Amino acid sequence: MAQWTSAVGTAQLARLITSQQERPAVPGARKAPAYRSLADGIRLLVLEGRVPVAARLPAERELAVALSLSRTTVAAAYEALRTEGFLESRRGAGSWTSVPAGNPLPARGLEPLPPESLGSMIDLGCAALPAPEPWLTKAVQGALEELPPYAHTHGDYPAGLPALRRMLADRYTERGIPTMPEQIMVTTGAMGAIDAICSLFAGRGERIAVESPSYANILQLMRAAGVRLVPVAMGAGLSGWDMDVWRQVLRDSAPRLAYVVADFHNPTGALASEEQRRAMVEAARSAGTVLIADETMAELRLDPEPAMPRPVCSFDPAGSTVVTVGSASKAFWAGMRIGWVRAAPDVIRSLVAARAYADLGTPVLEQLAVNWLMRTGGWEEAVGLRRAQARENRDALVAAVRRELPDWEFDVPAGGLTLWARAGGLSGSRLAEVGERVGVRVPSGPRFGVDGAFEGYVRLPFTVGGPVADEAAARLAAAARLVGTGAGGGAEPPRTFVA
């Protein structure tokens, strides 16, 4: 009986492998034999989760033709992978990916590092900061005081607590976008909101246009839903969105949905101008595409300039094109799993009706805590602390990376939580692998692309500062030296680091 549970097509695997090789050669680097390069490439794809475990690989002859290699080279690569525990084979059943005994299964998203690993590993994988105390404690205490009346009910509020829906609607109205509570649904984080929107609007096989690069966890959520991702290239640096490209993609592909992060884009940090936002809404309306505007980073402006443009939904007064998603997770704390959707009332009714077959509702206590923060002014105080911490971390990380890795290229964003860095001609996938061996965890660029794009990039979040930022950059520089000389396999284990 075959042990594989999925299959990777020949063309797909060839694209992923080729993308790893499309980067400038590093001076002084040793050139590995072709079979070794192929084996290493497949191993990295498995370790990063871009090729699933227990996925059937193409036959040797098919992959050899697709990559313009000899069958002997592919056979040698497969044999090396079998020896290392990354491939299993059975006559008549083919070959499928695996991981060696004792290795953790790779994740396809950007899951947080387990707390027990934090002593020896600096985690730059997850763009989330500790809670802005004392406001978390105050919010929970305030919520507990307001809980008793709700405890006498069934506790299921599929659209969200009426008080929080009203509060969120009023906050949009204060931003110049008249909003009724009937236009708000409270969700379990922004991921829960986007999952519900995709389920409502885009069935399996439907097209969704996404920025390229885009947020890795959302891309994986959409892949798991069986949709077809249509990448739309971002402009160079922080220039953001090329509206001619967007118009062409929306016109030619007619996607059911488009997903954008116009406010301090994850991962690049770009901020869309008002002109870009207006043009994006007009292009989506013309194509009949529903535009998901992810505002999870909108409150994290770190510099006074540029001024914040109006929200994307302000250019859709009828509410027929834009569905807005917000969240407390980035602006306040990732452990506060409260998100929300702002949309036309009929869309909210449909989302609420569908929720009966999903999670029924969002935890009452956490909704009360967010409502308490927003009602008392604690939200503004807490977000101010979050901005100050993120700004300090950003400046420390930028200085450390410029000192330790002067050939890395990046633009410093005016807000958000992430830095998008071109890694001096090195493979982001190999940096991620070797980085874990020297004690720094960093996500590679291809996690943020479709079909292997951005191999030469890594994402660096503003989650560490001071001496930890210095140490993180030093460890990245050590990983870069090992990757650049082809000596990554002999990396020293990380030492324990206490800030």
Side-chain angles (χ1 to χ4, degrees):
M1 180 178 177
Q3 301 297 306
W4 50 273
T5 57
S6 62
V8 181
T10 305
Q12 178 190 8
L13 183 58
R15 283 197 305 273
L16 293 170
I17 292 294
T18 302
S19 71
Q20 295 178 327
Q21 301 165 349
E22 291 176 348
R23 60 184 190 278
V26 179
R30 298 198 299 264
K31 184 175 178 60
Y35 87 89
R36 185 68 261 173
S37 295
L38 177 57
D40 286 347
I42 295 174
R43 176 174 53 83
L44 284 170
L45 292 172
V46 173
L47 287 172
E48 285 209 320
R50 288 188 283 144
V51 168
V53 176
R56 188 178 187 272
L57 296 186
E60 295 169 1
R61 187 186 302 277
E62 295 173 1
L63 187 59
V65 171
L67 293 173
S68 300
L69 297 172
S70 70
R71 183 178 178 183
T72 302
T73 297
V74 177
Y78 277 18
E79 179 58 32
L81 290 168
R82 279 189 287 269
T83 300
E84 296 162 5
F86 287 93
L87 197 68
E88 297 182 24
S89 303
R90 181 172 299 169
R91 186 178 297 277
S95 299
W96 57 92
T97 57
S98 62
V99 293
N103 277 38
L105 289 176
R108 300 197 69 179
L110 299 178
E111 77 292 348
L113 191 69
E116 61 269 18
S117 302
L118 293 176
S120 60
M121 186 73 68
I122 298 176
D123 186 9
L124 298 181
C126 187
L129 290 163
E133 288 287 32
W135 291 106
L136 174 62
T137 299
K138 289 183 176 182
V140 173
Q141 290 171 341
L144 286 171
E145 293 175 0
E146 298 174 4
L147 181 62
Y150 295 93
H152 294 293
T153 72
H154 50 62
D156 288 334
Y157 296 88
L161 291 184
L164 182 55
R165 295 178 74 195
R166 192 178 311 112
M167 176 64 68
L168 292 167
D170 289 347
R171 289 175 69 87
Y172 276 106
T173 300
E174 291 169 3
R175 295 168 68 190
I177 310 149
T179 303
M180 304 178 294
E182 292 79 9
Q183 291 177 262
I184 300 292
M185 181 177 83
V186 181
T187 63
T188 307
M191 293 286 289
I194 293 168
D195 187 32
I197 295 165
C198 291
S199 297
L200 179 65
F201 285 102
R204 297 189 70 84
E206 294 271 13
R207 295 184 179 91
I208 300 181
V210 294
E211 296 146 329
S212 184
S214 186
Y215 179 38
N217 286 341
I218 292 297
L219 295 181
Q220 183 53 27
L221 181 154
M222 292 176 177
R223 289 188 188 101
V227 302
R228 298 165 62 187
L229 298 179
V230 181
V232 186
M234 295 283 286
L238 298 179
S239 62
W241 295 259
D242 186 329
M243 291 317 306
D244 289 336
V245 174
W246 269 99
R247 292 187 190 93
Q248 180 179 348
V249 169
L250 296 182
R251 182 179 61 248
D252 295 347
S253 299
R256 187 71 184 90
L257 290 171
Y259 170 75
V260 298
V261 185
D263 300 287
F264 307 119
H265 174 261
N266 186 353
T268 67
L271 177 67
S273 66
E274 288 205 0
E275 292 74 17
Q276 289 171 324
R277 295 168 190 238
R278 180 183 293 105
M280 200 177 301
V281 173
E282 291 173 353
R285 184 182 297 118
S286 297
T289 297
V290 175
L291 184 63
I292 304 173
D294 186 337
E295 289 190 336
T296 54
M297 296 283 188
E299 297 198 58
L300 293 176
R301 185 175 72 157
L302 307 183
D303 296 334
E305 297 293 337
M308 285 298 294
R310 285 180 290 169
V312 174
C313 59
S314 67
F315 301 100
D316 180 39
S320 59
T321 299
V322 178
V323 176
T324 302
V325 171
S327 172
S329 296
K330 297 298 185 185
F332 185 74
W333 183 48
M336 188 69 77
R337 303 305 304 159
I338 297 295
W340 53 86
V341 179
R342 182 201 179 273
D346 61 319
V347 172
I348 295 297
R349 286 193 295 270
S350 297
L351 289 169
V352 171
R355 195 173 193 179
Y357 309 101
D359 64 355
L360 294 178
T362 302
V364 170
L365 187 63
E366 293 185 27
Q367 292 187 71
L368 288 172
V370 171
N371 188 60
W372 183 92
L373 284 165
M374 292 180 172
R375 189 184 73 247
T376 63
W379 179 267
E380 283 70 26
E381 293 282 347
V383 172
L385 291 175
R386 169 66 73 244
R387 291 193 191 105
Q389 184 179 16
R391 184 185 306 112
E392 182 179 337
N393 287 356
R394 179 198 63 182
D395 294 347
L397 186 65
V398 165
V401 172
R402 282 177 171 163
R403 180 177 63 252
E404 298 286 345
L405 295 153
D407 57 334
W408 284 26
E409 302 171 36
F410 53 84
D411 292 308
V412 181
L417 288 172
T418 57
L419 192 72
W420 184 239
R422 187 192 295 271
L426 300 176
S427 161
S429 298
R430 287 172 169 78
L431 280 168
E433 181 197 19
V434 176
E436 294 221 15
R437 301 185 203 168
V438 299
V440 60
R441 182 172 180 262
V442 59
S444 68
R447 288 189 175 229
F448 302 88
V450 178
D451 281 342
F454 308 110
E455 182 61 49
Y457 290 81
V458 294
R459 188 194 73 170
L460 306 176
F462 311 144
T463 52
V464 297
V468 186
D470 293 337
E471 179 69 11
R475 294 185 186 188
L476 279 173
R481 287 191 294 271
L482 290 167
V483 172
T485 59
E492 292 293 326
R495 64 185 185 275
T496 300
F497 180 76
V498 179

